Amino acid sequence: MTPPDLTALNTELLRKHGEGQRLRIERGVAQVAALWRPEDGDLAAFVREQFISDQAQLDAAFARLESVFEQIDGHTHEVGREVRRATEVDVGPMLAVDPLLATYDPFAHVTEDLFQAKVGFVVLLNFPQTTLAERLEHGPKYSRREWAEARLGSRFSRRVPAEVRQALTRATADADLYIAQYNVWMHHLVDETGGRLFPAGLRLISHWNLRDELKARYADPDGLKKQQAIVKVMERIVTQTIPAAVIDNPHVDWNPFTNAVAAAPASEVEADAPNREVVTDGAREDDVRYRKLLANFHAAKREDPFVPIAPTAIARSFELGRELPEARVKALLEQVLTSPLVGRTAKLIEQRLGRPLGPQDLWYAGFRGNASLPEAELDARTKARYPTPEAFARDMPRLLQGLGFAPPRAKFLAEHILVDPSRGAGHALQSLRRGDFPHLRTRVGAGGMDYKGYNIAVHELGHNVEQVFSLYSVDHTLLAGVPNNAFTEALAFVFQARDLELLGVGKPDAASERERVLADFWATFEIAGVALVDVATWHWMYDHPEATPAELREAVVKIAQDTWDRYYAPVLGSPGTPLLGIYSHMISYPLYLADYPLGHLIAFQIEEHIHKAGKLGPEFERMASLGALTPDLWMTQATGAPVAAEPLLRATEAALDSAGAPPP
């Protein structure tokens, strides 16, 4: 309709429904007109029929839509979970059809189908579609119903064709499968003498398990040599100079420093080795990593024209996903990266290690209690306790009571979380309707769950507990969830920080609290630069949309090197290392990485609040039940203050003073 036609329609509706409905009429008609297409039919007739002015009828429509959307979302999500199950869960050898099933997105047509059925337009006509600026300004004064209405309206803020959504699903599923199968058989890393650095059977996924193995080697007398080998493996992956033949292949031996490849002696090949060809020419992996990243970029870019309010994937990630402007997130990260506390912390680490720091110390684990315990001892404890995923599931009530949940609540939570063996490193898969349960997925080896798997499982348990409370305890299912991924990561960090205590290793005291603060600070420092590399990479792709995989590889390496040289080389040395580009999220979870440093900042504020308030369990439930508010409002209601870096920095300074760290 033309602007005059819309004005006439508004006038007609005002005469029928009264002046008191002016704002709702003008806003609703404008929202409908913005997404109405000629094939949708007669806009005016639709508006005349579907505008609701009676409050009782509006309340009834709101309740009906909330109930129906919970069922649509919940059951559609369950279909998606099942078609991806074989690629995400270790249910035995994958069939050729399984990767194809994983690319099917049952949500692809849902929104467009609801628009074609006119349900989406009923929402837009009768409920507000707020901007981020409006929510930030007026959100603190919204009632819970008004917040639920805002989330209802935002459901139809974009009208993306199903084929565009499906293309993005295919790209991310393909990248995720690539990462899930990217393993390095560590027994087949050899040094210059042909010596083997790691035990037989150790098969580590990149980057998660490689990083965790590196962290675990601080208690190993020969750990530095092993850590340096892992760093070289990571660098080879980023630069794509890793020989293609060594990826998930225990039939060949590899020296990551010289890049030489040789056939592994038959006596050294593991009994459970997959059938792989023995290739010793050393030919590198042909930029597969960057082809997957480019495929994600091109698929995401197809959505740009359909979301004028956030016309890039970067904008959608920050403005619509996190509801935090990119500039503010960068400022928070740089506040940590440029803090003089980084240098003081590095000096303290250097004192403890008794050697100059290197790039491996980006993942320094000495602020954790397990740094003084051999990895084998921790593995023995977890494997004995958790020989199967079912054993971990049976132990969840005890774990949850150990975290401060009352026995009835711990039982309720355990009954609402299912445990699966993961093909990848592990993840938590939420549920979207009451009556369905979230899934905890972690890797369990043939000999049981090793410490790495257990650590991940406790982290994922934090996600799952949040997911149960933020669905079952929230007052409106339209508000189910938390503000963004950083918040669910933060709540998961709260659980993960207590993994050793739950294992019966270490009791919290003043010294361990100091160590916790320093660990949080160093972990935030570590991942903040990685997040900046991720975001900068996407800016580069938007600036160079026709780039080849080789050009993207060169750009990522340069971005990672520059970021390292600016923030990390002054304390860790090794200028020019591309190490910050190793995180697998860059390939399979586009633009996710900024949620981790934000999550650390948020987790610290939550921890500080819990310390003051008392038991973790009741406060965790209260906070997780606040629902999907904007980040600062959620934080203010949860802890009394908006998202900020200052609490972590203040506590870090006090912890450094207490630890006898060198002055600035």
Side-chain angles (χ1 to χ4, degrees), residues 113-176:
D113 286 349
L114 289 170
F115 271 118
Q116 291 188 14
K118 303 297 189 294
V119 175
F121 289 118
V122 170
V123 172
L124 292 177
L125 181 61
N126 291 287
F127 299 98
Q129 188 182 83
T130 57
T131 64
L132 177 58
E134 287 176 313
R135 292 192 295 277
L136 292 178
E137 180 180 357
H138 303 296
K141 298 179 181 177
Y142 284 175
S143 66
R144 297 290 293 180
R145 163 67 180 267
E146 287 173 322
W147 265 112
E149 288 188 2
R151 295 311 185 198
L152 176 60
S154 66
R155 181 188 179 101
F156 296 99
S157 62
R158 62 185 95 174
R159 192 176 183 184
V160 180
E163 62 271 18
V164 174
R165 276 194 58 109
Q166 192 70 60
L168 184 56
T169 300
R170 283 195 299 270
T172 54
D174 184 52
D176 192 45

Side-chain angles (χ1 to χ4, degrees), residues 154-329:
S154 66
R155 181 188 179 101
F156 296 99
S157 62
R158 62 185 95 174
R159 192 176 183 184
V160 180
E163 62 271 18
V164 174
R165 276 194 58 109
Q166 192 70 60
L168 184 56
T169 300
R170 283 195 299 270
T172 54
D174 184 52
D176 192 45
L177 182 61
Y178 166 73
I179 290 298
Q181 297 177 328
Y182 204 109
N183 292 282
V184 178
W185 291 75
M186 303 301 286
H187 183 58
H188 298 277
L189 291 189
V190 296
D191 60 19
E192 63 279 359
T193 67
R196 298 181 185 277
L197 302 173
F198 298 92
L202 185 60
R203 178 173 173 256
L204 302 181
I205 194 170
S206 174
H207 74 285
W208 292 278
N209 291 159
L210 288 172
R211 174 202 61 194
D212 291 344
E213 179 69 18
L214 185 156
K215 293 170 72 174
R217 290 300 165 180
Y218 279 98
D220 184 342
D222 297 322
L224 180 58
K225 185 176 182 179
K226 296 171 183 177
Q227 290 174 329
Q228 290 170 337
I230 293 172
V231 166
K232 181 53 67 174
V233 171
M234 290 177 167
E235 290 177 342
R236 294 281 186 198
I237 292 171
V238 175
T239 60
Q240 292 276 259
T241 56
I242 183 172
V246 309
I247 300 169
D248 203 19
N249 188 355
H251 296 277
V252 294
D253 292 338
W254 173 42
N255 182 327
F257 294 94
T258 65
N259 231 15
V261 180
S267 60
E268 297 291 351
V269 177
E270 287 81 351
D272 62 343
N275 185 21
R276 298 284 189 271
E277 185 179 0
V278 176
V279 178
T280 60
D281 61 10
R284 73 180 186 87
E285 187 188 23
D286 188 24
D287 294 332
V288 179
R289 183 179 182 88
Y290 298 100
R291 287 207 300 272
K292 304 299 183 186
L293 178 52
L294 272 180
N296 264 328
F297 165 70
H298 289 303
K301 195 172 185 299
R302 288 182 61 187
E303 191 174 340
D304 293 354
F306 303 101
V307 195
I309 193 172
T312 69
I314 304 166
R316 292 191 289 278
S317 174
F318 286 98
E319 299 289 327
L320 302 184
R322 293 184 182 89
E323 294 190 302
L324 285 170
E326 180 186 356
R328 182 167 178 223
V329 172

Side-chain angles (χ1 to χ4, degrees), residues 23 30 40 61 63 75 114-115 225 297 366 371 408 582 592 661:
L23 292 179
D40 292 322
H75 288 294
L114 289 170
F115 271 118
K225 185 176 182 179
F297 165 70
I582 186 57
Y592 187 94

Side-chain angles (χ1 to χ4, degrees), residues 380-442:
R381 287 172 180 255
T382 57
K383 287 180 178 180
R385 185 170 287 182
Y386 306 119
T388 63
E390 292 78 14
F392 185 86
R394 287 193 297 270
D395 199 37
M396 282 197 297
R398 182 194 67 83
L399 293 170
L400 292 163
Q401 288 180 53
L403 289 164
F405 293 96
R409 219 58 184 139
K411 182 175 182 290
F412 168 82
L413 289 167
E415 291 172 345
H416 284 71
I417 298 169
L418 303 180
V419 181
D420 300 324
S422 178
R423 287 196 188 276
H427 62 273
L429 186 65
Q430 69 188 114
S431 56
L432 295 181
R433 68 171 182 86
R434 296 168 183 176
D436 186 31
F437 304 143
H439 288 241
L440 187 158
R441 288 166 174 176
T442 190

